[in-house]
Amino acid sequence: MFCNQCEQTAKGTGCTVAGVCGKKPDVAALQDLLLHAVKGLSLYAHAGRQVGVVDPEVNRFTCKAVFSTLTNVDFDPARFQELINQCVEITAQLKEKVARAGGNVSFADAAANFRPATDLAGLVKQGEEIGLVIDHDAETDIQSLQQIFVYGLKGIAAYADHAAILGQEDDKVYGFLHEGFAALTNKELGLNEWIGLVLKCGEINLRTMELLDAGNTGKFGHPVPTEVPLGHKQGKCILISGHDLQDLHDLLKQTEGKGIYVYTHGEMLPAHGYPELKKYKHFYGHYGTAWQNQKKEFAAFPGAILMTTNCIQDPKDYMDNIFTTGLVGWPGVQHVKNGDFGPVIERALALPGFASDEDKGSVMVGFARNTVMSVADKVIAGVKNGDIKHFFLVAGCDGAKPGRNYYSEFVEKAPKDSIILTLACGKFRFFDKKLGDIGGIPRLLDIGQCNDAYSAVQIAVALANAFECGVNDLPLSLVLSWYEQKAVAILLTLLYLGIKNIRLGPSLPAFITPNVLDVLVKNFAIKPITTPDEDLAAILGQ
């Protein structure tokens, strides 16, 4: 196997024996094979659009298939076998539709005529032979750009799937996914064309996050400042992790009146700020911290656990208590479908729950764009009178790899006349720190999940408009941590928007070659993090 798509990849180059995430070589091969099949499907989908053939089933399937290959989503070989066979079946049906419409169905690339093996072992062998879904004959820098592009497409697919669940879709997004995977078969594209596609990926991801934002806020309301307990209540309990607010809503509805408290974990923390979710009285608090600590935290949780999106780790110590839904999968873990969480509820009622109340303090969430902009006059006044000297967006993914304590130290050492904006699970390095306020505005503002980078962008744009300057001219610095492919898509969005001087860590992606990095440095002034003291001094001109 070879996998270098996450920040924790072995030796900083790529996992070749087993994934640091827990991915086995057979699953890695099946994921590569599924993307190969998706590339074939995309050739026909892209050709179909040229003659007016647009298939909603193909669109949704593409997102689900690609999302399944993200880090920490699906580790179940049987599920990948189903997806591969389904992809081939859908491709054949689409090919017939495109042919009837007079579209091109003659493609030389092997992906267009892929035939899967009849058994799992055969599929694994095919995946091992195919490898990464890039042009293995291309020069190194083009391969690097193709990998950046593919990982950006993966992020888009994940956000598009979330958005579609909430009824928000745009064929522009689906069309680009198909155009993008089809482009991987084009050996004529040069360095500049691939750079253009990479930046286009950032543009489309912005639209995708806008769709998801509309889905979340349209259905559950705009987040409002909310105090979230970190302790627990005596009684039966369910822990829900991941990102999918619809799953949380369905779980809350189905557990109402059953004497079960529902707690969030990881990226689900910001859900407490949504009016249509917080109205449920048994939606109580937050348990645990970031995804990489789940083995210890889940083993100690006395109730049922539901995983809704990526972040699952080997649950061998609590297999009977954990459930997956959506695209999440782990061999041997019970999977619940169609929003029916009866098995989860049944298990929660059978487990002891918490024996007594516990008070561990609280944190504040709900500072998405509507909340921040509602006090924009105070923010602007604070900047103009000198009370607020700088804004830091300290955001991104958390992980187990050494070096991530940089972010907590950075926040602790940031001047007291600065505001810290944060989002995604990287905040768990410092989310419970009491930083005080400036003129009634909390110094630590939790904007939300990773996809709420859209809110952060809107806040930055609104501030730039208020001060009649560009975003790069604001007293705003981005200090980001990355781990998986959604973070790649967000970074590409920031580059598409022309945001410069981003500090990125804890390490740079293994799939970026020195020449590609040089382009990013020259055009966008991307910088690797150093130490909190050095970076703060450089940012503040000290």
Side-chain angles (χ1 to χ4, degrees):
M1 68 175 285
F2 180 81
C3 182
N4 64 356
Q5 67 178 2
C6 85
E7 192 272 334
Q8 292 184 178
T9 191
K11 299 180 181 179
T13 55
C15 295
T16 57
V17 178
V20 173
C21 64
K23 182 166 59 177
K24 299 293 195 302
D26 60 341
V27 170
L30 291 168
Q31 289 182 348
D32 289 340
L33 189 62
L34 177 57
L35 289 181
H36 178 72
V38 166
K39 186 166 66 170
L41 174 64
S42 296
L43 283 167
Y44 296 109
H46 183 55
R49 277 186 172 79
Q50 315 311 310
V51 291
V53 176
V54 179
D55 190 323
E57 181 186 7
V58 170
N59 292 341
R60 291 297 304 278
F61 175 82
T62 301
C63 291
K64 291 181 182 300
V66 176
F67 190 1
S68 296
T69 70
L70 265 73
T71 303
N72 294 86
V73 176
D74 193 350
F75 296 80
D76 190 346
R79 296 268 295 279
F80 282 106
Q81 184 176 20
E82 291 176 11
L83 285 168
I84 291 166
N85 288 329
Q86 187 178 358
C87 188
V88 172
E89 181 181 339
I90 290 174
T91 300
Q93 295 170 355
L94 179 61
K95 181 179 179 179
E96 290 182 9
K97 292 180 183 178
V98 175
R100 286 198 299 269
N104 178 30
V105 292
S106 298
F107 300 105
D109 194 272
N113 302 296
F114 167 62
R115 294 291 179 268
T118 56
D119 61 4
L120 192 57
L123 291 173
V124 170
K125 188 173 185 300
Q126 285 180 316
E128 291 171 344
E129 293 171 350
I130 288 168
L132 297 179
V133 61
I134 59 172
D135 182 359
H136 297 275
D137 297 323
E139 62 170 285
T140 304
D141 292 332
I142 286 182
Q143 287 191 30
S144 175
L145 287 167
Q146 287 180 345
Q147 287 188 73
I148 296 170
F149 184 61
V150 169
Y151 301 149
L153 291 177
K154 288 189 178 194
I156 291 174
Y159 289 140
D161 183 66
H162 290 319
I165 288 170
L166 296 167
Q168 294 290 327
E169 298 180 83
D170 184 343
D171 193 61
K172 180 180 179 181
V173 174
Y174 297 130
F176 182 73
L177 285 171
H178 293 135
E179 177 189 353
F181 277 103
L184 292 167
T185 70
N186 188 345
K187 295 180 179 293
E188 302 302 317
L189 298 178
L191 205 65
N192 290 334
E193 286 89 353
W194 279 111
I195 290 173
L197 280 169
V198 164
L199 293 178
K200 180 74 173 179
C201 194
E203 177 188 354
I204 298 300
N205 185 60
L206 179 63
R207 172 59 179 151
T208 311
M209 290 193 298
E210 181 184 25
L211 290 170
L212 180 52
D213 178 87
N216 283 334
T217 58
K219 185 153 191 177
F220 307 115
H222 283 274
V224 296
T226 302
E227 187 174 10
V228 183
L230 297 178
H232 54 249
K233 299 282 286 183
Q234 179 182 357
K236 306 291 185 178
C237 50
I238 292 175
L239 186 64
I240 182 168
S241 188
H243 305 77
D244 198 294
L245 299 187
Q246 183 62 53
D247 283 335
L248 172 59
H249 175 265
D250 293 345
L251 179 66
L252 290 170
K253 193 171 183 179
Q254 292 172 38
T255 50
E256 198 168 20
K258 289 186 166 59
I260 300 173
Y261 287 104
V262 174
Y263 300 83
T264 55
H265 175 270
E267 282 267 59
M268 201 62 88
L269 167 62
H272 289 275
Y274 287 87
E276 291 302 309
L277 298 175
K278 64 182 293 182
K279 71 181 183 181
Y280 288 93
K281 303 301 182 186
H282 62 299
F283 186 29
Y284 180 67
H286 186 79
Y287 174 90
T289 51
W291 68 270
Q292 76 274 6
N293 302 318
Q294 69 186 252
K295 289 186 179 181
K296 179 179 179 181
E297 293 171 352
F298 286 6
F301 188 74
I305 303 160
L306 178 64
M307 302 298 293
T308 66
T309 55
N310 49 323
C311 292
I312 192 170
Q313 291 184 298
D314 187 352
K316 63 182 178 182
D317 295 330
Y318 39 87
M319 288 282 283
D320 293 337
N321 298 343
I322 191 168
F323 299 79
T324 59
T325 193
L327 298 174
V328 189
W330 192 281
V333 169
Q334 185 171 349
H335 190 75
V336 291
K337 298 180 180 180
N338 304 318
D340 179 6
F341 299 122
V344 185
I345 295 168
E346 183 180 344
R347 184 59 181 161
L349 292 172
L351 289 166
F354 288 109
S356 60
D357 291 354
E358 180 185 49
D359 183 358
K360 294 180 67 176
S362 63
V363 294
M364 291 292 295
V365 301
F367 295 98
R369 70 183 189 283
N370 265 31
T371 295
V372 174
M373 297 323 299
S374 70
V375 293
D377 55 338
K378 293 182 180 179
V379 174
I380 294 167
V383 173
K384 288 183 174 179
N385 65 27
D387 291 339
I388 300 174
K389 293 285 200 313
H390 209 87
F391 297 88
F392 295 100
L393 177 63
V394 185
C397 313
D398 204 0
K401 193 174 180 180
R404 290 181 180 267
N405 58 322
Y406 165 95
Y407 297 93
S408 53
E409 290 180 24
F410 188 99
V411 168
E412 289 170 354
K413 293 179 176 180
K416 296 189 184 301
D417 55 7
S418 64
I419 299 283
I420 310 293
L421 307 170
T422 191
L423 54 85
C425 63
K427 64 172 162 270
F428 288 106
R429 294 278 166 172
F430 50 81
F431 79 127
D432 55 352
K433 295 188 182 300
K434 306 304 179 185
L435 302 182
D437 67 273
I438 300 176
I441 300 170
R443 285 194 57 229
L444 181 60
L445 301 177
D446 185 347
I447 298 174
Q449 296 181 345
C450 63
N451 53 277
D452 290 312
Y454 178 78
S455 255
V457 167
Q458 296 307 310
I459 290 170
V461 170
L463 288 173
N465 290 337
F467 289 108
E468 298 182 345
C469 67
V471 171
N472 289 316
D473 300 316
L474 288 170
L476 167 67
S477 300
L478 278 64
V479 184
L480 307 181
S481 54
W482 79 283
Y483 175 70
E484 45 88 22
Q485 298 78 63
K486 286 185 283 186
V488 174
I490 291 172
L491 178 61
L492 296 184
T493 292
L494 296 174
L495 299 184
Y496 158 72
L497 291 170
I499 307 298
K500 296 185 177 182
N501 297 305
I502 297 169
R503 282 173 165 78
L504 183 65
S507 64
L508 294 177
F511 45 82
I512 293 183
T513 61
N515 287 337
V516 172
L517 178 60
D518 188 53
V519 170
L520 295 178
V521 171
K522 285 180 178 177
N523 289 281
F524 303 101
I526 281 186
K527 302 172 177 66
I529 60 171
T530 58
T531 69
D533 290 323
E534 289 178 274
D535 288 346
L536 280 166
I539 290 168
L540 300 173
Q542 298 172 345

